[in-house]
Amino acid sequence: MQVVLAAVIAPLVVATVAGLVLLWPSEAPPTRADDLGSASARGSVVSVEECGRGQAGCRARVAVSAGEGAGSEVDAFVPFGPGAPEVEVGDDLILSYVGQAPPGERYSFQDFDRRQPLLWLSGLFVVAVVLLSRWRGVASLVSLGFSLLVLTTFTLPAIVGGGPPLPIAIVTAATIMVVTLYLSHGVTTRTSVAMVGTLLALVLIGVVGSVFTRLGDFTGLGDEGSQYIAAVASGIDLSGLLLAGLVIGALGVLDDVTVTQAAAVWELADAEPSATRRSVFARAMRIGRSHAASTVNTLVLAYVGATLPLLLIFSVIELPFGVAVSQELVAQEIVRGLVGGLGILAAIPLTTAIASVAAVVRTGAEREDRPAG
């Protein structure tokens, strides 16, 4: 069985490396972002003028710490009125800067600078992972860092450079899958089984997703972010980008499902050495069905939650449900949820079947590669 797994995984690794080489981004082509004439700056609010019935002022005095005008204090327009974010002294802001504007009108509020609370939350997350999982937790954090590194150094620059989003997403998923699975769970037969199950499910997701994004005539312009991308970088295939996001988004859930299912098969086989492959498969599938039910529900709810504000708008204006779900921004989340769910439903029996063959040794020879702890 190890020979069969190696025969599957070795070409996958070679193809992944070849894909990285072929699709690695060269110098990114110029975009139209610079034509918008804006830059950014960060700083802390020193004072706020009052304007408009006691609402936060029309202007704030900001001590700029980074970006355009660093080291100086500038006046910046800030939002005011009902529903506007309240800017107070001491708030950290991200400012837009337009150099062509008249002096005193070049800076305006873009958003709050949330780096500090995000760093605190990240630190809390790291501590919790290490305390619970110890060295396994450290390995998982390294895996997470590697995933982010691949996305920022390869995936995003390659897509911005005009590369085909779906092949880039496939290479990204394969790279992350190979490195993080082995790093987090060890170089074992069990991990290899989970990898093969994940790979087969990703292939299914790519095929089904491609079919239904075409049948649904998705343009990829359903949200403001995609429209902005189209404005500043017209060479990006937005419909392909939608499909790429579907593949990468499903990877994390599939990793969890396949690793858990392979582990369940191994434990069942070790608990009853005389069990047949068929009985181990049947028992593991009972575990897998429960896991699938909860995971699919979680995945669909996560995608639906992303469109909740829009669904609320449709409800307020009393748009018929059939029309509402046909809107691209809602429909693309439905497709993501359902296609990802199909991938999970396929991954469980596939992984269980492969793991049952690999874990059950009828000759009575000792099973290898059961990692400690």
Side-chain angles (χ1 to χ4, degrees):
M1 189 62 192
Q2 290 179 338
V3 175
V4 175
L5 289 172
V8 174
I9 293 172
L12 167 65
V13 173
V14 172
T16 300
V17 173
L20 285 171
V21 173
L22 292 174
L23 295 173
W24 193 267
S26 56
E27 184 177 353
T31 66
R32 293 196 293 271
D34 293 336
D35 296 341
L36 301 179
S38 64
S40 63
R42 296 196 307 269
S44 181
V45 177
V46 177
S47 62
V48 181
E49 297 177 0
E50 294 295 329
C51 176
R53 298 184 180 180
Q55 296 293 330
C58 302
R59 290 175 182 265
R61 191 72 176 170
V62 180
V64 180
S65 58
E68 295 289 338
S72 63
E73 290 190 2
V74 301
D75 290 323
F77 290 107
V78 294
F80 71 97
E86 293 190 8
V87 176
E88 300 176 348
V89 174
D91 285 345
D92 295 322
L93 304 182
I94 299 175
L95 303 175
S96 295
Y97 173 82
V98 181
Q100 293 81 4
E105 300 180 5
R106 295 176 178 174
Y107 293 88
S108 61
F109 173 91
Q110 179 176 327
D111 205 345
F112 291 101
D113 187 354
R114 301 180 178 90
R115 291 178 302 159
Q116 195 65 44
L118 290 177
L119 286 174
W120 291 340
L121 180 59
S122 299
L124 179 62
F125 173 77
V126 168
V127 170
V129 169
V130 173
L131 286 177
L132 179 63
S133 302
R134 300 182 181 179
W135 287 112
R136 287 281 182 92
V138 173
S140 68
L141 291 172
V142 174
S143 299
L144 176 60
F146 176 78
S147 300
L148 296 176
L149 181 66
V150 172
L151 290 171
T152 54
T153 61
F154 168 69
T155 311
L156 298 179
I159 292 176
V160 170
L166 182 56
I168 291 171
I170 292 172
V171 172
T172 299
T175 303
I176 292 174
M177 178 180 65
V178 170
V179 174
T180 60
L181 280 179
Y182 281 136
L183 185 62
S184 298
H185 305 285
V187 183
T188 66
T189 302
R190 185 165 73 180
T191 305
S192 298
V193 167
M195 185 180 301
V196 173
T198 303
L199 173 64
L200 294 174
L202 282 176
V203 170
L204 175 66
I205 286 173
V207 171
V208 176
S210 180
V211 169
F212 281 93
T213 53
R214 287 176 181 166
L215 288 177
D217 294 321
F218 288 98
T219 64
L221 291 168
D223 59 84
E224 293 181 0
S226 298
Q227 294 170 13
Y228 180 80
I229 291 173
V232 301
S234 58
I236 295 178
D237 177 8
L238 293 180
S239 60
L241 185 62
L242 173 64
L243 189 56
L246 191 157
V247 171
I248 295 175
L251 176 63
V253 179
L254 286 174
D255 282 354
D256 172 63
V257 169
T258 55
V259 168
T260 302
Q261 201 61 20
V265 171
W266 246 256
E267 294 300 325
L268 289 169
D270 285 338
E272 187 179 346
S274 62
T276 64
R277 289 168 180 155
R278 178 173 294 183
S279 65
V280 171
F281 175 82
R283 294 173 187 175
M285 279 302 298
R286 286 197 288 270
I287 298 173
R289 291 187 188 99
S290 298
H291 194 192
S294 60
T295 304
V296 169
N297 187 53
T298 300
L299 181 66
V300 172
L301 287 178
Y303 284 128
V304 171
T307 61
L308 194 58
L310 184 62
L311 290 174
L312 184 60
I313 293 174
F314 292 156
S315 178
V316 170
I317 64 176
E318 298 182 350
L319 192 68
F321 180 77
V323 176
V325 298
S326 294
Q327 304 297 307
E328 181 163 347
L329 187 56
V330 178
Q332 71 183 21
E333 301 302 331
I334 293 175
V335 169
R336 283 173 176 164
L338 295 180
V339 172
L342 286 172
I344 293 171
L345 295 175
I348 288 175
L350 288 171
T351 304
T352 304
I354 299 170
S356 298
V357 174
V360 177
V361 182
R362 291 185 178 179
T363 60
E366 182 181 0
R367 293 183 180 87
E368 48 79 37
D369 112 65
R370 184 185 182 188

